[in-house]
Amino acid sequence: MILFVLAGCTSATEGQQSDNPKELELLFNFAARSLDPNVDSSYVPLRAGITETLVHLNDDTLKLEPWLAESWESEDGQEWIIQLKKGVTFQNGNPMDGKAVKASLERSIKDNVAIKNALRIATIEADGLQLTIKTISPFPEFPSELVHPNTSIIDVTEPDFINKPEGTGPFAVSSFIPGTAVDLVRYDGYWDGVAKLEAARFSFNEDANARSLALESGNADIVFRPEVQNLEILEALPGIKVESTSTFRVHQMTMNLERETMKDIHVRKAVDVLVNRQSIAETILKGHAEVAEGPFPSTFSFAPDYPEKLTGLEYAKDLLAQGGYEIKEGVMEKQGKPLVLTLLTYSARADLPLIAQVFQSDAKQLGIAVDIQQIEVPEEYMAANRDWDLATYSNLTAPRGDAGYYLNATYHPHGALNFSGADDAALTALIDELNKTVGQEARSAIAEEIALYVDEQVYNSFILHPNTLVAYNADKVENWVTSKSEYYMLTHTLDVK
């Protein structure tokens, strides 16, 4: 409460706090140690309503919508004219104009290699509220990349990006305790109408059970991804509402293709058939998931019809036999060398360690030793280390309603999420063709071809599409929307009774 009162004295809020301020606390499942919106992988600045991007994704229609950009157009897919909204200011009162946006985008490109590779910007020119952006080559889907949270627009003249970025969103940073919480205060100069909440706290706890207990005790008003095993308990509490929404996410078994063991397609296929997707969805996720055949949920136009997937120990044993493996004295080995797999997992998504344990147990029945290692930040570890074979990983595959994001990031040699080390000339050529193609029907056809190729080569094993689970106090919270993209959380319309 002291933090909220102090927040009312900041320059972000023009009016005075009321005696009973409208405020709430959202408890998130990833701990942010930085609020730098251009490099932070937890996307807290966007989710907490501190920053905004040029383009917005409509979760219902999967269509791109203007946000800080009023419009965009291109005649050749390479030179883009972007008109910015009038009257938008940063939380420090400075105007958001072409010069400021240019500086912000150039800063994100400079400091984030993944964004540099995703945007492929050659030059940016600013004239008043107009930007002229040229990409390195024709890039018809360029606007969809401007939805990415790491392209959030900030005032780069304010240097404390880690603790207090100055964005254009409805809430300004009051204080930030890395790994614990960010306290927010309403920005009364917000361009799209003053937020209904006067203050909010976006806090972090990677323990799913602790998040559930926080809601039960009233220490949190909204909890992102509560403990699945406790959902019935939460649903039985007076006033508590649990929402389970299909999303664009996939839980997958990422394979390190640079490891000698995983270079063998027979081993990769054996790993894939060892994963009992239906059982995992029913027991670990309690039915709050769709069994995955590939990276994209079946509702997308670019999700192909896959060949029937086999599951079971005998199929895995046969595949390994084709690769020269055999069981001797209860140990799966090849030329006297036991098959041992190092499997990474992380606790911020509570179901992933459980999936790892189930896989470890099933593999043990075939004499395969699986060494599970817990890591904290999967993106950082997998990018910097190659001492692992497999990793349970969760990824948004189509957060902009198009297949290009995931396929480029995951399978292109320069992809930001290419932790497998995939470098397949045929696959890269297909992705490059996709990047030049205009029209959703034509793009979907190429995306299907890529997805089928990835499935044939078993470059990753796709387990399930988990629902987004959110529980909140419906007696207090109003206008909460569980976003499929998981990008938009604390909005200017969110309210309390």
Side-chain angles (χ1 to χ4, degrees):
M1 286 299 296
I2 291 173
L3 289 170
F4 288 133
V5 171
L6 291 174
C9 300
T10 69
S11 60
T13 301
E14 298 169 3
Q16 297 295 317
Q17 293 278 4
S18 62
D19 292 336
N20 297 301
K22 285 190 168 188
E23 58 194 41
L24 60 71
E25 178 167 349
L26 184 150
L27 188 52
F28 193 56
N29 63 316
F30 273 100
R33 291 168 176 79
S34 166
L35 292 182
D36 188 335
N38 298 139
V39 299
D40 175 45
S41 61
S42 63
Y43 308 153
V44 167
L46 186 81
R47 287 167 166 159
I50 302 165
T51 65
E52 297 169 314
T53 53
L54 294 176
V55 181
H56 186 275
L57 179 70
N58 185 307
D59 268 352
D60 294 325
T61 65
L62 300 183
K63 301 294 185 183
L64 301 181
E65 299 175 336
W67 208 3
L68 293 180
E70 186 71 46
S71 63
W72 53 87
E73 60 181 356
S74 175
E75 293 183 357
D76 58 5
Q78 185 168 10
E79 181 172 290
W80 294 87
I81 306 299
I82 298 177
Q83 195 67 33
L84 303 175
K85 272 188 168 62
K86 297 178 182 179
V88 179
T89 59
F90 294 104
Q91 289 136 3
N92 58 10
N94 291 340
M96 185 213 71
D97 55 16
K99 180 180 178 182
V101 174
K102 176 179 185 290
S104 181
L105 288 175
E106 288 177 339
R107 191 254 169 179
S108 65
I109 292 170
K110 175 178 175 291
D111 288 8
N112 190 329
V113 174
I115 291 300
K116 178 181 179 180
N117 292 337
L119 296 181
R120 302 174 223 169
I121 291 176
T123 60
I124 306 176
E125 295 179 6
D127 182 11
L129 291 175
Q130 181 174 292
L131 291 175
T132 301
I133 297 178
K134 289 185 178 179
T135 54
I136 295 172
S137 58
F139 187 16
E141 295 303 311
F142 172 70
S144 70
E145 294 297 336
L146 298 176
V147 172
H148 197 292
N150 287 153
T151 67
S152 288
I153 304 303
I154 57 173
D155 185 350
V156 299
T157 65
E158 299 281 359
D160 194 2
F161 306 122
I162 292 177
N163 297 297
K164 198 177 186 301
E166 298 286 346
T168 61
F171 299 103
V173 178
S174 171
S175 66
F176 173 53
I177 304 174
T180 301
V182 53
D183 288 295
L184 306 156
V185 59
R186 181 172 65 194
Y187 173 46
D188 285 351
Y190 181 55
W191 62 272
D192 201 21
V194 178
K196 296 181 182 297
L197 294 175
E198 294 177 54
R201 168 170 266 222
F202 198 103
S203 56
F204 321 116
N205 194 317
E206 296 187 349
D207 186 323
N209 186 55
R211 292 196 298 274
S212 295
L213 291 174
L215 184 64
E216 286 185 51
S217 64
N219 290 326
D221 303 302
I222 304 171
V223 170
F224 194 78
R225 297 203 67 81
E227 173 61 59
V228 176
Q229 311 300 323
N230 292 338
L231 287 184
E232 291 184 0
I233 296 175
L234 291 179
E235 290 173 326
L237 295 175
I240 299 299
K241 183 174 182 179
V242 177
E243 293 185 352
S244 178
T245 305
S246 61
T247 184
F248 311 141
R249 180 173 293 282
V250 70
H251 284 356
Q252 67 184 46
M253 191 76 80
T254 296
M255 302 186 182
N256 183 355
L257 302 175
E258 295 178 3
R259 296 277 276 190
E260 284 303 318
T261 300
M262 302 312 298
K263 288 179 181 179
D264 187 341
I265 192 171
H266 299 101
V267 175
R268 300 201 301 272
K269 286 183 175 181
V271 167
D272 188 56
V273 301
L274 270 175
V275 177
N276 192 329
R277 295 161 175 81
Q278 191 63 48
S279 176
I280 290 171
E282 292 174 356
T283 59
I284 297 178
L285 275 294
K286 300 295 183 181
H288 295 280
E290 173 192 341
V291 169
E293 293 186 288
F296 308 117
S298 58
T299 53
F300 282 105
S301 63
F302 40 81
D305 293 326
Y306 292 95
E308 181 182 358
K309 289 190 176 294
L310 304 175
T311 301
L313 297 174
E314 288 304 316
Y315 291 117
K317 183 179 178 180
D318 290 344
L319 287 164
L320 289 170
Q322 293 174 35
Y325 287 87
E326 59 181 337
I327 299 177
K328 288 187 176 180
E329 299 181 0
V331 177
M332 183 67 72
E333 62 176 45
K334 181 178 181 178
Q335 297 176 351
K337 184 177 181 181
L339 180 55
V340 179
L341 301 174
T342 298
L343 173 58
L344 306 179
T345 191
Y346 52 103
S347 61
R349 296 195 178 277
D351 28 341
L352 295 185
L354 297 177
I355 292 172
Q357 291 169 20
V358 169
F359 179 81
Q360 180 188 53
S361 177
D362 290 342
K364 185 178 181 180
Q365 295 182 60
L366 282 183
I368 303 171
V370 176
D371 177 23
I372 298 177
Q373 295 187 8
Q374 290 274 347
I375 56 176
E376 289 191 12
V377 184
E379 293 82 6
E380 291 181 6
Y381 190 94
M382 289 191 287
N385 301 278
R386 309 310 290 166
D387 57 352
W388 53 277
D389 300 288
L390 302 167
T392 57
Y393 184 61
S394 188
N395 194 16
L396 285 168
T397 58
R400 272 86 89 190
D402 185 85
Y405 159 74
Y406 174 81
L407 297 178
N408 274 279
T410 309
Y411 300 109
H412 199 283
H414 303 299
L417 304 178
N418 187 0
F419 305 125
S420 293
D423 191 356
D424 181 325
L427 180 56
T428 302
L430 284 171
I431 296 172
D432 288 339
E433 182 184 355
L434 174 68
N435 293 336
K436 296 182 292 184
T437 301
V438 180
Q440 190 57 57
E441 186 175 344
R443 291 181 60 78
S444 292
I446 299 173
E448 284 188 41
E449 185 177 356
I450 296 172
L452 287 170
Y453 184 87
V454 168
D455 178 68
E456 178 183 297
Q457 299 298 319
V458 200
Y459 283 153
N460 285 311
S461 179
F462 305 99
I463 304 171
L464 49 83
H465 303 289
N467 286 6
T468 294
L469 296 171
V470 177
Y472 61 95
N473 182 354
D475 284 345
K476 177 180 179 180
V477 178
E478 288 187 312
N479 303 332
W480 167 260
V481 176
T482 301
S483 165
K484 292 180 181 179
S485 66
E486 302 177 9
Y487 284 170
Y488 314 117
M489 296 184 183
L490 297 188
T491 66
H492 70 296
T493 59
L494 188 61
D495 201 359
V496 294
K497 299 175 184 177

